[in-house]
Amino acid sequence: MKVAIIGLGYIGLPLTFLLSSKKYDVIAIDKDMDKIKKLRKGVLPFARNEPLFKEYFARSLQNKNVVYTKYFESIKETDIILVSVDTPIIGKKPNYKALDSAISQLAVNIKKKSIVVIESTLAPNTTKNFVIPTIEKLSRLKVNTDFYVAVVPERIRPGYIYKQLTSFPRVIGISSPKIKSVMRKIYKDITNGELDFVDLTTAETVKTVENTFRDVNIAFANEVAIACEEQGVNVWEVRKLINKSPFHNMLEPGAGVGGHCIPKDPWLLASSVIKQSLKITRTARAINDSMPKHVLELAEKSLAIIGRKIKNTNLVILGYSYIGNSDDSRNSPTKDLVKRLKMKKAIFKIHDPYVSPYDQTNLERVITGADCLILMVAHDYYKKLKLKDIASKMNIKIIVDGRNFFDKKQAQKNGFIYKGVGNV
Ligand code: SAJ
Protein backbone atom coordinates (compact mmCIF):
# COMPACT_ATOMS: atom_id res chain seq x y z
CA MET A 1 0.00 0.00 0.00
CA LYS A 2 1.27 3.50 -0.84
CA VAL A 3 0.80 6.24 1.79
CA ALA A 4 1.58 9.92 1.93
CA ILE A 5 2.60 11.70 5.14
CA ILE A 6 2.24 15.46 5.25
CA GLY A 7 4.21 17.28 7.94
CA LEU A 8 7.55 15.72 8.96
CA GLY A 9 7.73 16.83 12.58
CA TYR A 10 7.73 14.92 15.90
CA ILE A 11 4.71 12.93 14.69
CA GLY A 12 5.14 12.68 10.92
CA LEU A 13 8.81 11.76 10.74
CA PRO A 14 8.72 8.86 13.25
CA LEU A 15 5.59 7.63 11.45
CA THR A 16 7.40 7.82 8.09
CA PHE A 17 10.26 5.67 9.38
CA LEU A 18 7.91 3.22 11.10
CA LEU A 19 5.70 2.68 8.04
CA SER A 20 8.81 2.33 5.91
CA SER A 21 9.97 -0.45 8.25
CA LYS A 22 6.56 -2.10 7.72
CA LYS A 23 7.26 -2.10 3.97
CA TYR A 24 4.84 0.66 3.02
CA ASP A 25 5.85 2.94 0.15
CA VAL A 26 5.86 6.42 1.66
CA ILE A 27 5.66 9.85 0.05
CA ALA A 28 6.96 12.10 2.83
CA ILE A 29 5.94 15.73 2.29
CA ASP A 30 7.07 18.84 4.10
CA LYS A 31 7.14 22.54 3.15
CA ASP A 32 10.64 22.96 4.63
CA MET A 33 13.06 22.30 1.75
CA ASP A 34 16.05 22.43 4.11
CA LYS A 35 14.53 19.55 6.09
CA ILE A 36 13.82 17.62 2.84
CA LYS A 37 17.41 18.09 1.68
CA LYS A 38 18.78 16.88 5.02
CA LEU A 39 16.56 13.79 4.99
CA ARG A 40 17.52 12.96 1.40
CA LYS A 41 21.16 13.14 2.49
CA GLY A 42 20.46 10.83 5.43
CA VAL A 43 20.72 13.61 8.05
CA LEU A 44 18.19 13.75 10.91
CA PRO A 45 16.84 17.35 11.11
CA PHE A 46 15.92 17.20 14.82
CA ALA A 47 15.59 15.03 17.98
CA ARG A 48 18.93 13.41 17.34
CA ASN A 49 18.98 12.02 20.88
CA GLU A 50 15.50 10.48 20.51
CA PRO A 51 15.82 6.73 21.31
CA LEU A 52 15.63 4.50 18.19
CA PHE A 53 15.20 7.49 15.87
CA LYS A 54 18.57 7.00 14.16
CA GLU A 55 18.02 3.24 13.85
CA TYR A 56 14.60 3.57 12.26
CA PHE A 57 15.90 6.27 9.93
CA ALA A 58 18.84 4.11 8.83
CA ARG A 59 16.49 1.18 8.20
CA SER A 60 14.19 3.35 6.08
CA LEU A 61 17.17 4.48 4.00
CA GLN A 62 18.09 0.84 3.40
CA ASN A 63 14.48 0.03 2.48
CA LYS A 64 14.60 2.72 -0.20
CA ASN A 65 10.80 3.08 0.04
CA VAL A 66 10.52 6.70 1.16
CA VAL A 67 10.44 9.67 -1.21
CA TYR A 68 10.97 13.07 0.43
CA THR A 69 9.39 16.00 -1.37
CA LYS A 70 7.67 19.32 -0.84
CA TYR A 71 5.27 18.73 -3.73
CA PHE A 72 1.80 17.21 -3.41
CA GLU A 73 1.38 15.88 -6.95
CA SER A 74 2.49 12.35 -6.06
CA ILE A 75 -0.46 12.07 -3.65
CA LYS A 76 -2.39 10.91 -6.73
CA GLU A 77 -0.63 7.54 -6.38
CA THR A 78 -1.47 7.05 -2.71
CA ASP A 79 -4.39 5.33 -0.95
CA ILE A 80 -3.94 6.87 2.50
CA ILE A 81 -2.83 10.44 3.24
CA LEU A 82 -1.76 11.05 6.84
CA VAL A 83 -1.74 14.70 7.94
CA SER A 84 0.53 15.55 10.88
CA VAL A 85 1.08 19.28 10.64
CA ASP A 86 1.28 21.54 13.67
CA THR A 87 -1.91 23.09 15.02
CA PRO A 88 -0.62 25.83 17.33
CA ILE A 89 -2.61 28.42 19.22
CA ILE A 90 -2.09 32.13 18.83
CA GLY A 91 -3.54 34.23 21.62
CA LYS A 92 -5.44 31.21 22.98
CA LYS A 93 -7.14 30.63 19.62
CA PRO A 94 -6.40 27.78 17.19
CA ASN A 95 -4.20 28.67 14.26
CA TYR A 96 -4.99 26.26 11.39
CA LYS A 97 -2.77 27.90 8.77
CA ALA A 98 -0.60 24.82 8.33
CA LEU A 99 -3.66 22.53 8.33
CA ASP A 100 -5.43 24.69 5.75
CA SER A 101 -2.36 24.66 3.50
CA ALA A 102 -1.98 20.88 3.76
CA ILE A 103 -5.68 20.15 3.26
CA SER A 104 -6.04 22.58 0.35
CA GLN A 105 -3.05 21.11 -1.50
CA LEU A 106 -4.00 17.50 -0.89
CA ALA A 107 -7.60 18.18 -1.97
CA VAL A 108 -6.57 18.97 -5.52
CA ASN A 109 -4.38 15.90 -5.73
CA ILE A 110 -6.27 13.05 -4.00
CA LYS A 111 -7.49 10.13 -6.06
CA LYS A 112 -10.95 8.62 -5.67
CA LYS A 113 -11.54 6.27 -2.73
CA SER A 114 -8.50 7.55 -0.85
CA ILE A 115 -8.59 8.14 2.92
CA VAL A 116 -7.40 11.37 4.54
CA VAL A 117 -6.21 10.64 8.10
CA ILE A 118 -5.72 13.60 10.43
CA GLU A 119 -3.16 12.84 13.18
CA SER A 120 -2.79 16.48 14.22
CA THR A 121 -4.66 17.56 17.33
CA LEU A 122 -7.79 19.52 16.41
CA ALA A 123 -10.49 21.30 18.34
CA PRO A 124 -13.63 19.14 18.41
CA ASN A 125 -15.77 19.52 15.25
CA THR A 126 -12.90 20.94 13.17
CA THR A 127 -12.83 17.90 10.84
CA LYS A 128 -16.59 18.02 10.33
CA ASN A 129 -16.87 21.79 9.99
CA PHE A 130 -13.61 22.69 8.26
CA VAL A 131 -11.54 19.78 6.93
CA ILE A 132 -14.29 17.91 5.08
CA PRO A 133 -15.97 20.98 3.52
CA THR A 134 -12.57 22.29 2.37
CA ILE A 135 -11.68 19.01 0.66
CA GLU A 136 -15.13 18.70 -0.94
CA LYS A 137 -15.00 22.26 -2.24
CA LEU A 138 -11.52 22.04 -3.76
CA SER A 139 -11.69 18.47 -5.01
CA ARG A 140 -15.34 18.53 -6.12
CA LEU A 141 -15.49 15.07 -4.56
CA LYS A 142 -18.05 13.93 -1.98
CA VAL A 143 -17.05 12.57 1.39
CA ASN A 144 -17.99 8.92 2.01
CA THR A 145 -18.64 8.51 -1.70
CA ASP A 146 -15.46 9.64 -3.43
CA PHE A 147 -13.10 9.93 -0.44
CA TYR A 148 -13.10 9.16 3.27
CA VAL A 149 -11.77 10.87 6.38
CA ALA A 150 -10.39 9.59 9.69
CA VAL A 151 -9.16 11.33 12.82
CA VAL A 152 -6.44 9.45 14.72
CA PRO A 153 -4.83 11.87 17.18
CA GLU A 154 -1.21 11.05 17.90
CA ARG A 155 -0.17 9.95 21.39
CA ILE A 156 3.56 10.26 21.62
CA ARG A 157 5.99 12.13 23.80
CA PRO A 158 9.50 13.22 22.87
CA GLY A 159 11.94 10.88 24.51
CA TYR A 160 9.56 7.94 24.30
CA ILE A 161 8.35 8.26 20.70
CA TYR A 162 8.85 4.73 19.35
CA LYS A 163 8.00 3.04 22.64
CA GLN A 164 4.65 4.86 22.73
CA LEU A 165 3.99 4.93 18.96
CA THR A 166 4.22 1.13 18.75
CA SER A 167 2.42 0.25 21.99
CA PHE A 168 -0.14 2.89 22.91
CA PRO A 169 -3.86 2.36 22.30
CA ARG A 170 -5.27 4.58 19.57
CA VAL A 171 -8.66 6.22 19.14
CA ILE A 172 -9.75 6.08 15.51
CA GLY A 173 -12.51 8.43 14.37
CA ILE A 174 -13.97 7.38 11.00
CA SER A 175 -16.30 9.21 8.60
CA SER A 176 -17.82 5.90 7.49
CA PRO A 177 -17.79 2.24 8.64
CA LYS A 178 -16.61 1.39 5.12
CA ILE A 179 -13.03 2.29 6.07
CA LYS A 180 -12.95 0.48 9.40
CA SER A 181 -11.10 -2.60 8.12
CA VAL A 182 -8.41 -0.73 6.20
CA MET A 183 -7.87 1.65 9.15
CA ARG A 184 -7.59 -1.34 11.46
CA LYS A 185 -4.99 -2.88 9.16
CA ILE A 186 -2.75 0.17 8.95
CA TYR A 187 -2.93 0.96 12.69
CA LYS A 188 -2.31 -2.70 13.61
CA ASP A 189 0.91 -2.24 11.64
CA ILE A 190 1.71 0.84 13.75
CA THR A 191 0.78 -0.19 17.29
CA ASN A 192 0.12 -3.32 19.35
CA GLY A 193 -2.22 -1.19 21.46
CA GLU A 194 -6.00 -1.47 21.49
CA LEU A 195 -7.83 0.31 18.66
CA ASP A 196 -11.12 2.03 19.52
CA PHE A 197 -13.36 3.15 16.66
CA VAL A 198 -15.55 6.21 17.19
CA ASP A 199 -16.96 9.13 15.22
CA LEU A 200 -14.75 12.02 14.10
CA THR A 201 -15.72 14.52 16.81
CA THR A 202 -15.42 12.02 19.63
CA ALA A 203 -11.85 11.31 18.51
CA GLU A 204 -11.00 15.03 18.51
CA THR A 205 -12.63 15.43 21.93
CA VAL A 206 -10.79 12.47 23.49
CA LYS A 207 -7.42 13.92 22.50
CA THR A 208 -8.03 17.50 23.63
CA VAL A 209 -9.70 16.39 26.88
CA GLU A 210 -6.87 13.91 27.58
CA ASN A 211 -4.31 16.69 27.62
CA THR A 212 -6.61 19.15 29.35
CA PHE A 213 -7.09 16.55 32.07
CA ARG A 214 -3.31 16.45 32.50
CA ASP A 215 -3.00 20.25 32.50
CA VAL A 216 -5.74 20.62 35.14
CA ASN A 217 -4.10 18.02 37.35
CA ILE A 218 -0.71 19.68 37.06
CA ALA A 219 -2.36 23.01 37.92
CA PHE A 220 -3.89 21.45 41.02
CA ALA A 221 -0.45 20.20 42.09
CA ASN A 222 0.91 23.71 41.56
CA GLU A 223 -1.91 25.25 43.60
CA VAL A 224 -1.24 22.80 46.45
CA ALA A 225 2.46 23.69 46.24
CA ILE A 226 1.67 27.38 46.69
CA ALA A 227 -0.59 26.52 49.64
CA CYS A 228 2.18 24.41 51.20
CA GLU A 229 4.63 27.30 50.93
CA GLU A 230 2.28 29.44 52.98
CA GLN A 231 1.60 26.63 55.45
CA GLY A 232 5.33 25.95 55.80
CA VAL A 233 5.06 22.29 54.78
CA ASN A 234 6.89 20.37 52.04
CA VAL A 235 4.53 19.69 49.13
CA TRP A 236 6.66 16.72 48.07
CA GLU A 237 6.10 15.02 51.40
CA VAL A 238 2.38 15.85 51.21
CA ARG A 239 2.20 14.47 47.65
CA LYS A 240 4.10 11.27 48.53
CA LEU A 241 1.70 10.53 51.40
CA ILE A 242 -1.41 11.39 49.37
CA ASN A 243 -0.28 9.08 46.58
CA LYS A 244 0.15 6.23 49.06
CA SER A 245 -3.60 6.15 49.52
CA PRO A 246 -5.34 4.04 46.86
CA PHE A 247 -6.82 5.77 43.80
CA HIS A 248 -4.93 9.01 44.46
CA ASN A 249 -2.34 10.28 42.00
CA MET A 250 -1.36 13.88 42.56
CA LEU A 251 0.93 15.02 39.74
CA GLU A 252 4.13 17.01 40.19
CA PRO A 253 4.21 20.74 40.95
CA GLY A 254 6.97 22.61 39.21
CA ALA A 255 8.38 25.62 37.40
CA GLY A 256 5.73 25.56 34.70
CA VAL A 257 4.15 23.56 31.88
CA GLY A 258 5.70 23.59 28.43
CA GLY A 259 5.74 21.42 25.35
CA HIS A 260 3.85 21.05 22.13
CA CYS A 261 0.67 19.58 23.60
CA ILE A 262 -0.30 20.42 27.14
CA PRO A 263 -0.23 24.24 26.96
CA LYS A 264 -2.11 24.18 23.64
CA ASP A 265 -4.78 21.48 23.76
CA PRO A 266 -6.90 23.05 26.53
CA TRP A 267 -7.31 26.12 24.33
CA LEU A 268 -8.28 23.94 21.37
CA LEU A 269 -10.92 22.32 23.58
CA ALA A 270 -12.11 25.68 24.97
CA SER A 271 -12.39 27.13 21.46
CA SER A 272 -14.97 24.49 20.57
CA VAL A 273 -17.32 25.34 23.45
CA ILE A 274 -19.03 28.61 22.68
CA LYS A 275 -22.21 28.67 24.76
CA GLN A 276 -20.45 27.84 28.03
CA SER A 277 -17.05 28.91 29.31
CA LEU A 278 -14.73 26.18 30.52
CA LYS A 279 -13.86 27.68 33.93
CA ILE A 280 -11.58 24.96 35.38
CA THR A 281 -9.76 24.59 32.06
CA ARG A 282 -9.03 28.30 31.78
CA THR A 283 -8.09 28.69 35.45
CA ALA A 284 -5.70 25.73 35.22
CA ARG A 285 -3.96 27.30 32.23
CA ALA A 286 -3.57 30.55 34.15
CA ILE A 287 -2.10 28.78 37.18
CA ASN A 288 0.41 26.78 35.11
CA ASP A 289 1.39 29.82 33.08
CA SER A 290 2.03 31.72 36.33
CA MET A 291 4.64 29.27 37.65
CA PRO A 292 7.73 30.84 36.01
CA LYS A 293 6.70 34.12 37.67
CA HIS A 294 6.34 32.24 40.94
CA VAL A 295 9.89 30.90 40.56
CA LEU A 296 11.12 34.45 40.01
CA GLU A 297 9.29 35.56 43.17
CA LEU A 298 11.04 32.78 45.13
CA ALA A 299 14.37 34.13 43.84
CA GLU A 300 13.42 37.67 44.88
CA LYS A 301 12.34 36.48 48.35
CA SER A 302 15.64 34.61 48.74
CA LEU A 303 17.67 37.67 47.75
CA ALA A 304 15.59 39.90 50.03
CA ILE A 305 16.78 37.79 53.00
CA ILE A 306 20.24 39.27 52.43
CA GLY A 307 18.94 42.66 51.39
CA ARG A 308 19.59 42.14 47.66
CA LYS A 309 17.30 42.81 44.70
CA ILE A 310 17.12 40.85 41.47
CA LYS A 311 18.37 43.83 39.48
CA ASN A 312 22.10 43.53 38.73
CA THR A 313 22.18 40.10 40.43
CA ASN A 314 24.21 37.38 38.69
CA LEU A 315 21.88 34.44 38.06
CA VAL A 316 22.50 31.07 36.46
CA ILE A 317 19.52 29.25 34.98
CA LEU A 318 19.72 25.48 34.56
CA GLY A 319 17.48 24.13 31.80
CA TYR A 320 15.90 25.68 28.73
CA SER A 321 13.99 22.73 27.20
CA TYR A 322 10.40 22.17 28.28
CA ILE A 323 11.09 18.78 29.90
CA GLY A 324 14.02 16.81 31.27
CA ASN A 325 16.48 15.00 28.98
CA SER A 326 15.00 16.56 25.82
CA ASP A 327 16.20 19.16 23.30
CA ASP A 328 12.63 20.35 22.68
CA SER A 329 12.10 23.88 23.96
CA ARG A 330 8.63 24.53 22.52
CA ASN A 331 6.63 26.67 24.99
CA SER A 332 9.37 26.20 27.55
CA PRO A 333 8.63 27.83 30.94
CA THR A 334 12.21 29.12 30.95
CA LYS A 335 11.30 31.39 28.02
CA ASP A 336 8.78 33.18 30.22
CA LEU A 337 11.25 33.39 33.11
CA VAL A 338 13.90 34.90 30.81
CA LYS A 339 11.42 37.51 29.57
CA ARG A 340 10.68 38.54 33.17
CA LEU A 341 14.35 38.62 34.17
CA LYS A 342 15.10 40.93 31.26
CA MET A 343 12.32 43.27 32.40
CA LYS A 344 13.95 43.34 35.84
CA LYS A 345 17.39 44.02 34.36
CA ALA A 346 18.84 40.89 35.95
CA ILE A 347 22.12 39.52 34.67
CA PHE A 348 21.78 35.84 33.84
CA LYS A 349 23.40 32.97 32.02
CA ILE A 350 21.50 29.94 30.72
CA HIS A 351 22.81 26.39 30.52
CA ASP A 352 21.09 23.43 28.91
CA PRO A 353 22.95 20.26 27.89
CA TYR A 354 20.65 19.61 24.92
CA VAL A 355 19.47 23.00 23.62
CA SER A 356 21.71 25.08 21.39
CA PRO A 357 23.32 27.55 22.07
CA TYR A 358 23.02 26.90 25.79
CA ASP A 359 24.78 23.56 25.46
CA GLN A 360 27.90 25.63 24.73
CA THR A 361 27.69 27.42 28.09
CA ASN A 362 30.50 26.35 30.37
CA LEU A 363 28.53 25.25 33.43
CA GLU A 364 31.40 25.50 35.89
CA ARG A 365 32.33 28.96 34.65
CA VAL A 366 28.78 30.39 34.92
CA ILE A 367 28.27 28.94 38.41
CA THR A 368 31.51 30.53 39.56
CA GLY A 369 30.71 33.89 41.12
CA ALA A 370 26.94 33.55 40.62
CA ASP A 371 24.57 34.96 43.24
CA CYS A 372 21.58 32.70 42.60
CA LEU A 373 21.06 29.36 40.84
CA ILE A 374 17.60 28.64 39.42
CA LEU A 375 16.86 25.04 38.34
CA MET A 376 14.08 24.99 35.76
CA VAL A 377 14.51 21.56 34.12
CA ALA A 378 15.41 18.26 35.80
CA HIS A 379 17.93 17.01 33.22
CA ASP A 380 19.74 13.89 34.47
CA TYR A 381 22.88 15.73 33.33
CA TYR A 382 22.63 17.92 36.45
CA LYS A 383 22.86 14.91 38.78
CA LYS A 384 26.64 15.24 38.59
CA LEU A 385 26.44 18.65 40.30
CA LYS A 386 27.64 18.37 43.89
CA LEU A 387 26.17 20.94 46.30
CA LYS A 388 29.52 21.26 48.08
CA ASP A 389 31.25 22.18 44.80
CA ILE A 390 28.55 24.63 43.78
CA ALA A 391 28.72 26.25 47.23
CA SER A 392 32.47 26.74 46.92
CA LYS A 393 32.09 28.45 43.53
CA MET A 394 29.08 30.73 44.02
CA ASN A 395 29.42 34.29 45.32
CA ILE A 396 26.09 34.16 47.14
CA LYS A 397 24.67 30.73 47.92
CA ILE A 398 21.03 30.78 46.81
CA ILE A 399 19.24 27.88 45.11
CA VAL A 400 15.73 28.22 43.70
CA ASP A 401 14.56 24.71 42.81
CA GLY A 402 11.79 24.52 40.22
CA ARG A 403 11.68 20.72 40.03
CA ASN A 404 12.48 19.35 43.50
CA PHE A 405 15.84 18.40 42.10
CA PHE A 406 18.17 19.21 45.01
CA ASP A 407 17.88 18.00 48.60
CA LYS A 408 16.83 20.99 50.71
CA LYS A 409 18.49 19.80 53.92
CA GLN A 410 21.76 19.06 52.09
CA ALA A 411 21.62 22.46 50.43
CA GLN A 412 21.11 24.16 53.77
CA LYS A 413 23.95 22.11 55.30
CA ASN A 414 26.17 23.55 52.56
CA GLY A 415 25.19 27.07 53.49
CA PHE A 416 22.56 27.68 50.82
CA ILE A 417 19.40 29.71 51.12
CA TYR A 418 17.11 27.13 49.49
CA LYS A 419 13.61 27.79 48.16
CA GLY A 420 11.86 25.15 46.09
CA VAL A 421 8.40 25.31 44.52
CA GLY A 422 6.18 24.03 47.33
CA ASN A 423 9.11 23.65 49.70
CA VAL A 424 10.44 26.93 51.03
N1 SAJ B 1 4.78 18.69 34.07
C1 SAJ B 1 4.61 19.14 35.39
N2 SAJ B 1 4.12 18.25 36.30
C2 SAJ B 1 3.77 16.97 35.97
C3 SAJ B 1 3.93 16.57 34.62
C4 SAJ B 1 4.44 17.44 33.69
O1 SAJ B 1 4.92 20.27 35.71
O2 SAJ B 1 3.34 16.22 36.84
C5 SAJ B 1 5.29 19.64 33.07
C6 SAJ B 1 6.57 19.17 32.40
O3 SAJ B 1 7.69 19.66 33.09
C7 SAJ B 1 6.45 19.79 31.01
C8 SAJ B 1 4.96 19.82 30.76
O4 SAJ B 1 4.33 19.72 32.04
O5 SAJ B 1 6.93 21.11 31.00
C9 SAJ B 1 4.44 18.71 29.85
O6 SAJ B 1 4.94 17.51 30.37
P1 SAJ B 1 4.28 16.07 29.94
O7 SAJ B 1 4.85 15.07 30.88
O8 SAJ B 1 2.83 16.20 29.86
O9 SAJ B 1 4.94 15.75 28.53
P2 SAJ B 1 4.41 16.13 27.10
O10 SAJ B 1 4.13 17.57 26.94
O11 SAJ B 1 5.37 15.52 26.15
O12 SAJ B 1 3.00 15.40 27.06
C10 SAJ B 1 2.81 14.31 26.24
C11 SAJ B 1 1.35 14.24 26.02
N3 SAJ B 1 1.17 13.24 25.00
C12 SAJ B 1 0.51 13.61 23.87
O13 SAJ B 1 -0.02 14.68 23.73
C13 SAJ B 1 0.46 12.60 22.82
C14 SAJ B 1 0.62 13.87 27.28
O14 SAJ B 1 -0.74 13.56 26.96
C15 SAJ B 1 1.20 12.64 27.93
O15 SAJ B 1 0.55 12.40 29.17
C16 SAJ B 1 2.68 12.87 28.17
O16 SAJ B 1 3.28 13.12 26.88
C17 SAJ B 1 3.27 11.58 28.73
O17 SAJ B 1 3.37 11.51 29.95
O18 SAJ B 1 3.53 10.69 27.93
Side-chain angles (χ1 to χ4, degrees):
M1 191 189 293
K2 196 160 201 172
V3 304
I5 295 180
I6 303 170
L8 305 181
Y10 279 86
I11 308 165
L13 200 52
L15 198 50
T16 298
F17 300 158
L18 181 66
L19 289 176
S20 161
S21 75
K22 299 290 181 181
K23 308 299 179 218
Y24 285 80
D25 289 326
V26 183
I27 310 276
I29 299 171
D30 197 286
K31 65 182 185 308
D32 180 344
M33 202 54 211
D34 180 47
K35 185 188 286 186
I36 296 292
K37 284 181 185 154
K38 279 184 178 159
L39 287 161
R40 284 176 179 164
K41 279 193 301 202
V43 174
L44 268 181
F46 58 82
R48 282 174 279 291
N49 55 350
E50 176 66 39
L52 296 175
F53 214 28
K54 288 192 184 84
E55 292 81 346
Y56 268 97
F57 185 26
R59 213 185 301 171
S60 74
L61 294 170
Q62 283 160 2
N63 292 340
K64 297 189 186 333
N65 56 358
V66 181
V67 171
Y68 293 102
T69 179
K70 65 183 279 188
Y71 302 108
F72 282 66
E73 282 67 23
S74 32
I75 278 181
K76 289 184 179 63
E77 307 149 27
T78 60
D79 312 292
I80 310 255
I81 303 102
L82 296 135
V83 180
S84 50
V85 296
D86 58 322
T87 52
I89 49 162
I90 296 182
K92 301 175 185 169
K93 289 275 176 258
N95 177 289
Y96 290 135
K97 188 163 163 282
L99 179 73
D100 189 12
S101 165
I103 294 295
S104 306
Q105 295 183 79
L106 75 84
V108 295
N109 286 291
I110 54 170
K111 73 177 185 185
K112 282 203 168 185
K113 303 300 179 197
S114 56
I115 304 172
V116 177
V117 182
I118 310 287
E119 286 226 352
S120 305
T121 304
L122 301 178
N125 279 312
T126 302
T127 303
K128 196 170 72 175
N129 297 340
F130 169 66
V131 173
I132 291 174
T134 302
I135 297 175
E136 288 184 320
K137 184 166 137 254
L138 295 172
S139 67
R140 300 187 189 291
L141 299 176
K142 188 87 188 84
V143 71
N144 293 339
T145 307
D146 304 316
F147 72 97
Y148 299 91
V149 175
V151 170
V152 190
E154 52 77 24
R155 273 181 169 157
I156 51 174
R157 168 185 187 176
Y160 305 83
I161 289 180
Y162 280 102
K163 190 160 163 278
Q164 295 186 348
L165 186 58
T166 55
S167 65
F168 269 23
R170 298 297 291 266
V171 173
I172 302 179
I174 48 179
S175 62
S176 160
K178 289 182 194 164
I179 60 171
K180 188 170 181 178
S181 56
V182 69
M183 290 303 292
R184 184 189 303 283
K185 180 198 173 317
I186 188 168
Y187 277 89
K188 277 269 169 240
D189 281 344
I190 292 171
T191 179
N192 303 320
E194 195 174 349
L195 304 179
D196 291 294
F197 288 87
V198 294
D199 65 271
L200 301 171
T201 303
T202 298
E204 292 164 328
T205 304
V206 166
K207 170 66 187 182
T208 45
V209 169
E210 187 172 282
N211 281 348
T212 304
F213 177 82
R214 189 165 178 79
D215 195 50
V216 166
N217 281 277
I218 296 168
F220 180 69
N222 284 328
E223 185 154 81
V224 170
I226 290 164
C228 287
E229 286 178 14
E230 193 171 320
Q231 293 157 348
V233 299
N234 176 354
V235 72
W236 297 97
E237 193 175 1
V238 169
R239 174 177 178 268
K240 189 178 74 184
L241 296 173
I242 288 171
N243 288 351
K244 278 192 171 177
S245 68
F247 318 118
H248 284 79
N249 175 29
M250 180 171 147
L251 294 186
E252 295 181 345
V257 173
H260 55 298
C261 316
I262 308 300
K264 163 182 73 103
D265 295 355
W267 293 123
L268 291 178
L269 176 66
S271 72
S272 70
V273 183
I274 313 299
K275 296 191 185 74
Q276 315 286 335
S277 167
L278 299 183
K279 298 177 187 63
I280 295 177
T281 298
R282 293 171 183 275
T283 304
R285 281 279 72 239
I287 291 171
N288 289 337
D289 280 351
S290 73
M291 295 314 286
K293 178 169 173 279
H294 185 73
V295 167
L296 177 54
E297 286 163 357
L298 291 179
E300 288 177 315
K301 283 178 187 162
S302 304
L303 287 161
I305 295 169
I306 50 165
R308 290 284 295 263
K309 289 203 177 309
I310 204 91
K311 190 175 174 188
N312 302 325
T313 294
N314 269 309
L315 299 134
V316 56
I317 298 168
L318 302 187
Y320 195 79
S321 63
Y322 84 86
I323 198 161
N325 306 326
S326 166
D327 64 356
D328 190 344
S329 59
R330 288 175 288 180
N331 299 314
S332 161
T334 306
K335 290 180 182 171
D336 184 68
L337 175 68
V338 163
K339 194 175 69 188
R340 295 173 183 279
L341 287 172
K342 283 179 179 166
M343 287 192 301
K344 291 203 176 252
K345 298 193 177 18
I347 305 155
F348 58 90
K349 291 271 187 304
I350 303 167
H351 175 272
D352 189 297
Y354 300 107
V355 181
S356 173
Y358 309 118
D359 55 347
Q360 304 305 313
T361 303
N362 178 306
L363 185 54
E364 187 169 345
R365 192 175 309 142
V366 295
I367 287 178
T368 305
D371 304 322
C372 177
L373 182 147
I374 300 179
L375 182 114
M376 291 294 285
V377 183
H379 289 308
D380 289 344
Y381 179 90
Y382 294 134
K383 284 183 179 162
K384 67 181 188 183
L385 290 173
K386 297 285 171 270
L387 286 164
K388 193 159 159 285
D389 298 346
I390 305 175
S392 65
K393 292 183 174 64
M394 287 181 74
N395 173 44
I396 300 174
K397 293 192 272 297
I398 292 177
I399 283 184
V400 176
D401 191 347
R403 300 290 176 188
N404 190 40
F405 189 80
F406 296 105
D407 179 290
K408 178 179 178 181
K409 288 195 173 58
Q410 280 306 311
Q412 288 171 333
K413 264 196 198 135
N414 282 281
F416 281 97
I417 294 171
Y418 174 100
K419 285 191 184 298
V421 170
N423 184 17
V424 293

